[in-house]
PDB file of all heavy atoms in Angstrom:
ATOM      1  N   ASN B 213      57.333 111.752  81.021  1.00 78.00           N
ATOM      2  CA  ASN B 213      58.612 112.277  81.520  1.00 78.00           C
ATOM      3  C   ASN B 213      58.830 111.930  82.983  1.00 78.00           C
ATOM      4  O   ASN B 213      59.964 111.771  83.417  1.00 78.00           O
ATOM      5  CB  ASN B 213      58.657 113.791  81.353  1.00 78.00           C
ATOM      6  CG  ASN B 213      58.933 114.117  79.879  1.00 78.00           C
ATOM      7  OD1 ASN B 213      59.636 113.355  79.212  1.00 78.00           O
ATOM      8  ND2 ASN B 213      58.359 115.213  79.401  1.00 78.00           N
ATOM      9  N   ASP B 236      61.073  83.587  82.213  1.00 79.00           N
ATOM     10  CA  ASP B 236      62.238  84.148  82.927  1.00 79.00           C
ATOM     11  C   ASP B 236      61.828  85.277  83.866  1.00 79.00           C
ATOM     12  O   ASP B 236      60.688  85.721  83.882  1.00 79.00           O
ATOM     13  CB  ASP B 236      63.247  84.680  81.904  1.00 79.00           C
ATOM     14  CG  ASP B 236      64.024  83.522  81.297  1.00 79.00           C
ATOM     15  OD1 ASP B 236      63.774  82.379  81.748  1.00 79.00           O
ATOM     16  OD2 ASP B 236      64.817  83.759  80.365  1.00 79.00           O
ATOM     17  N   GLU B 260      56.591  85.515  69.279  1.00 81.00           N
ATOM     18  CA  GLU B 260      56.021  84.165  69.275  1.00 81.00           C
ATOM     19  C   GLU B 260      54.550  84.191  69.650  1.00 81.00           C
ATOM     20  O   GLU B 260      53.718  83.497  69.093  1.00 81.00           O
ATOM     21  CB  GLU B 260      56.805  83.320  70.282  1.00 81.00           C
ATOM     22  CG  GLU B 260      56.579  81.858  70.120  1.00 81.00           C
ATOM     23  CD  GLU B 260      57.592  81.252  69.154  1.00 81.00           C
ATOM     24  OE1 GLU B 260      58.059  81.959  68.236  1.00 81.00           O
ATOM     25  OE2 GLU B 260      57.907  80.112  69.319  1.00 81.00           O
ATOM     26  N   ARG B 303      16.358  85.581  52.020  1.00 59.00           N
ATOM     27  CA  ARG B 303      15.979  85.664  53.421  1.00 59.00           C
ATOM     28  C   ARG B 303      16.432  86.985  54.022  1.00 59.00           C
ATOM     29  O   ARG B 303      15.778  87.550  54.872  1.00 59.00           O
ATOM     30  CB  ARG B 303      16.621  84.514  54.195  1.00 59.00           C
ATOM     31  CG  ARG B 303      16.087  83.180  53.733  1.00 59.00           C
ATOM     32  CD  ARG B 303      16.518  82.155  54.693  1.00 59.00           C
ATOM     33  NE  ARG B 303      15.386  81.334  55.086  1.00 59.00           N
ATOM     34  CZ  ARG B 303      15.402  80.500  56.085  1.00 59.00           C
ATOM     35  NH1 ARG B 303      16.479  80.416  56.838  1.00 59.00           N
ATOM     36  NH2 ARG B 303      14.356  79.781  56.376  1.00 59.00           N
ATOM     37  N   LEU B 339       8.654  84.296  32.602  1.00 77.00           N
ATOM     38  CA  LEU B 339       9.157  83.497  31.492  1.00 77.00           C
ATOM     39  C   LEU B 339       7.992  83.010  30.663  1.00 77.00           C
ATOM     40  O   LEU B 339       7.124  82.291  31.158  1.00 77.00           O
ATOM     41  CB  LEU B 339       9.942  82.295  32.009  1.00 77.00           C
ATOM     42  CG  LEU B 339      10.571  81.506  30.869  1.00 77.00           C
ATOM     43  CD1 LEU B 339      11.936  82.049  30.546  1.00 77.00           C
ATOM     44  CD2 LEU B 339      10.653  80.044  31.213  1.00 77.00           C
ATOM     45  N   SER B 342       7.194  81.190  23.259  1.00 86.00           N
ATOM     46  CA  SER B 342       6.282  80.777  22.203  1.00 86.00           C
ATOM     47  C   SER B 342       7.089  79.988  21.178  1.00 86.00           C
ATOM     48  O   SER B 342       8.318  80.014  21.185  1.00 86.00           O
ATOM     49  CB  SER B 342       5.634  82.002  21.553  1.00 86.00           C
ATOM     50  OG  SER B 342       6.625  82.907  21.162  1.00 86.00           O
ATOM     51  N   VAL B 343       6.375  79.291  20.321  1.00 86.00           N
ATOM     52  CA  VAL B 343       7.061  78.423  19.368  1.00 86.00           C
ATOM     53  C   VAL B 343       7.776  79.279  18.321  1.00 86.00           C
ATOM     54  O   VAL B 343       7.180  80.184  17.757  1.00 86.00           O
ATOM     55  CB  VAL B 343       6.050  77.496  18.676  1.00 86.00           C
ATOM     56  CG1 VAL B 343       6.775  76.608  17.682  1.00 86.00           C
ATOM     57  CG2 VAL B 343       5.309  76.681  19.697  1.00 86.00           C
ATOM     58  N   VAL B 353      26.094  73.988   3.870  1.00 70.00           N
ATOM     59  CA  VAL B 353      26.076  74.304   2.448  1.00 70.00           C
ATOM     60  C   VAL B 353      26.139  73.034   1.603  1.00 70.00           C
ATOM     61  O   VAL B 353      25.697  73.000   0.472  1.00 70.00           O
ATOM     62  CB  VAL B 353      27.254  75.228   2.113  1.00 70.00           C
ATOM     63  CG1 VAL B 353      27.079  75.837   0.732  1.00 70.00           C
ATOM     64  CG2 VAL B 353      27.358  76.337   3.144  1.00 70.00           C
ATOM     65  N   GLU B 417      19.366  53.377  11.617  1.00 83.00           N
ATOM     66  CA  GLU B 417      18.554  52.161  11.697  1.00 83.00           C
ATOM     67  C   GLU B 417      17.924  52.048  13.072  1.00 83.00           C
ATOM     68  O   GLU B 417      16.743  51.745  13.208  1.00 83.00           O
ATOM     69  CB  GLU B 417      19.418  50.925  11.445  1.00 83.00           C
ATOM     70  CG  GLU B 417      19.701  50.672   9.989  1.00 83.00           C
ATOM     71  CD  GLU B 417      20.719  49.551   9.814  1.00 83.00           C
ATOM     72  OE1 GLU B 417      21.469  49.265  10.754  1.00 83.00           O
ATOM     73  OE2 GLU B 417      20.749  48.976   8.740  1.00 83.00           O
ATOM     74  N   HIS B 476     -46.207  69.773  36.593  1.00 47.00           N
ATOM     75  CA  HIS B 476     -47.484  70.403  36.230  1.00 47.00           C
ATOM     76  C   HIS B 476     -48.634  69.475  36.535  1.00 47.00           C
ATOM     77  O   HIS B 476     -49.590  69.815  37.218  1.00 47.00           O
ATOM     78  CB  HIS B 476     -47.502  70.741  34.736  1.00 47.00           C
ATOM     79  CG  HIS B 476     -46.802  72.032  34.455  1.00 47.00           C
ATOM     80  ND1 HIS B 476     -47.257  72.940  33.544  1.00 47.00           N
ATOM     81  CD2 HIS B 476     -45.682  72.552  34.991  1.00 47.00           C
ATOM     82  CE1 HIS B 476     -46.429  73.969  33.514  1.00 47.00           C
ATOM     83  NE2 HIS B 476     -45.470  73.741  34.387  1.00 47.00           N
ATOM     84  N   GLN B 481     -53.187  67.327  39.615  1.00 49.00           N
ATOM     85  CA  GLN B 481     -53.831  66.267  40.375  1.00 49.00           C
ATOM     86  C   GLN B 481     -54.106  66.720  41.794  1.00 49.00           C
ATOM     87  O   GLN B 481     -55.159  66.490  42.353  1.00 49.00           O
ATOM     88  CB  GLN B 481     -52.912  65.050  40.425  1.00 49.00           C
ATOM     89  CG  GLN B 481     -53.230  64.081  39.324  1.00 49.00           C
ATOM     90  CD  GLN B 481     -52.340  62.866  39.404  1.00 49.00           C
ATOM     91  OE1 GLN B 481     -51.440  62.833  40.223  1.00 49.00           O
ATOM     92  NE2 GLN B 481     -52.629  61.897  38.561  1.00 49.00           N
ATOM     93  N   GLU B 498     -65.538  50.603  48.574  1.00 87.00           N
ATOM     94  CA  GLU B 498     -65.337  50.516  47.126  1.00 87.00           C
ATOM     95  C   GLU B 498     -63.855  50.480  46.770  1.00 87.00           C
ATOM     96  O   GLU B 498     -63.418  49.708  45.929  1.00 87.00           O
ATOM     97  CB  GLU B 498     -65.958  51.757  46.457  1.00 87.00           C
ATOM     98  CG  GLU B 498     -67.161  51.427  45.596  1.00 87.00           C
ATOM     99  CD  GLU B 498     -67.804  52.702  45.098  1.00 87.00           C
ATOM    100  OE1 GLU B 498     -67.098  53.461  44.384  1.00 87.00           O
ATOM    101  OE2 GLU B 498     -68.980  52.951  45.441  1.00 87.00           O
ATOM    102  N   ARG B 513     -51.690  38.760  35.204  1.00 94.00           N
ATOM    103  CA  ARG B 513     -50.718  39.216  34.219  1.00 94.00           C
ATOM    104  C   ARG B 513     -49.339  38.620  34.484  1.00 94.00           C
ATOM    105  O   ARG B 513     -48.629  38.186  33.586  1.00 94.00           O
ATOM    106  CB  ARG B 513     -50.641  40.746  34.271  1.00 94.00           C
ATOM    107  CG  ARG B 513     -50.454  41.288  32.877  1.00 94.00           C
ATOM    108  CD  ARG B 513     -50.635  42.769  32.819  1.00 94.00           C
ATOM    109  NE  ARG B 513     -49.573  43.324  32.044  1.00 94.00           N
ATOM    110  CZ  ARG B 513     -49.027  44.492  32.274  1.00 94.00           C
ATOM    111  NH1 ARG B 513     -49.447  45.218  33.274  1.00 94.00           N
ATOM    112  NH2 ARG B 513     -48.072  44.948  31.500  1.00 94.00           N
ATOM    113  N   THR B 535     -28.649  24.872  17.160  1.00 83.00           N
ATOM    114  CA  THR B 535     -27.421  25.484  16.657  1.00 83.00           C
ATOM    115  C   THR B 535     -26.233  24.583  16.908  1.00 83.00           C
ATOM    116  O   THR B 535     -25.431  24.352  15.993  1.00 83.00           O
ATOM    117  CB  THR B 535     -27.137  26.816  17.355  1.00 83.00           C
ATOM    118  OG1 THR B 535     -28.155  27.069  18.278  1.00 83.00           O
ATOM    119  CG2 THR B 535     -26.987  27.943  16.399  1.00 83.00           C
ATOM    120  N   THR B 592      18.312  15.776  -7.675  1.00 88.00           N
ATOM    121  CA  THR B 592      19.766  15.739  -7.802  1.00 88.00           C
ATOM    122  C   THR B 592      20.282  17.093  -8.267  1.00 88.00           C
ATOM    123  O   THR B 592      21.256  17.628  -7.738  1.00 88.00           O
ATOM    124  CB  THR B 592      20.175  14.657  -8.831  1.00 88.00           C
ATOM    125  OG1 THR B 592      19.338  13.539  -8.655  1.00 88.00           O
ATOM    126  CG2 THR B 592      21.617  14.266  -8.662  1.00 88.00           C
ATOM    127  N   GLU B 645      39.944  72.454  40.248  1.00 94.00           N
ATOM    128  CA  GLU B 645      39.371  73.044  41.466  1.00 94.00           C
ATOM    129  C   GLU B 645      40.473  73.220  42.506  1.00 94.00           C
ATOM    130  O   GLU B 645      40.662  74.290  43.089  1.00 94.00           O
ATOM    131  CB  GLU B 645      38.298  72.102  41.991  1.00 94.00           C
ATOM    132  CG  GLU B 645      37.396  72.720  43.003  1.00 94.00           C
ATOM    133  CD  GLU B 645      36.201  73.377  42.328  1.00 94.00           C
ATOM    134  OE1 GLU B 645      36.207  73.562  41.096  1.00 94.00           O
ATOM    135  OE2 GLU B 645      35.293  73.738  43.064  1.00 94.00           O
ATOM    136  N   ASP B 685      83.591  69.443  65.219  1.00 96.00           N
ATOM    137  CA  ASP B 685      84.024  68.069  65.027  1.00 96.00           C
ATOM    138  C   ASP B 685      85.511  68.006  64.738  1.00 96.00           C
ATOM    139  O   ASP B 685      86.248  67.185  65.306  1.00 96.00           O
ATOM    140  CB  ASP B 685      83.256  67.438  63.858  1.00 96.00           C
ATOM    141  CG  ASP B 685      81.865  67.034  64.284  1.00 96.00           C
ATOM    142  OD1 ASP B 685      81.614  67.071  65.505  1.00 96.00           O
ATOM    143  OD2 ASP B 685      81.039  66.699  63.410  1.00 96.00           O
ATOM    144  N   LEU B 753      95.027  77.080  84.601  1.00 95.00           N
ATOM    145  CA  LEU B 753      94.926  78.500  84.905  1.00 95.00           C
ATOM    146  C   LEU B 753      94.494  79.280  83.681  1.00 95.00           C
ATOM    147  O   LEU B 753      93.624  80.170  83.761  1.00 95.00           O
ATOM    148  CB  LEU B 753      96.269  79.005  85.398  1.00 95.00           C
ATOM    149  CG  LEU B 753      96.586  78.648  86.860  1.00 95.00           C
ATOM    150  CD1 LEU B 753      98.000  79.062  87.216  1.00 95.00           C
ATOM    151  CD2 LEU B 753      95.598  79.303  87.803  1.00 95.00           C
ATOM    152  N   ILE B 757      91.364  81.652  83.286  1.00 95.00           N
ATOM    153  CA  ILE B 757      91.488  83.041  82.841  1.00 95.00           C
ATOM    154  C   ILE B 757      90.473  83.303  81.723  1.00 95.00           C
ATOM    155  O   ILE B 757      89.765  84.304  81.712  1.00 95.00           O
ATOM    156  CB  ILE B 757      92.910  83.321  82.348  1.00 95.00           C
ATOM    157  CG1 ILE B 757      93.847  83.388  83.539  1.00 95.00           C
ATOM    158  CG2 ILE B 757      92.967  84.621  81.565  1.00 95.00           C
ATOM    159  CD1 ILE B 757      95.319  83.312  83.171  1.00 95.00           C
TER     160      ILE B 757
END
Side-chain angles (χ1 to χ4, degrees):
Chain B
N213 283 328
D236 282 357
E260 195 90 330
R303 295 192 131 192
L339 184 89
S342 52
V343 180
V353 193
E417 281 172 339
H476 278 220
Q481 266 181 354
E498 247 174 61
R513 217 169 134 214
T535 0
T592 320
E645 195 89 347
D685 282 350
L753 282 174
I757 287 165

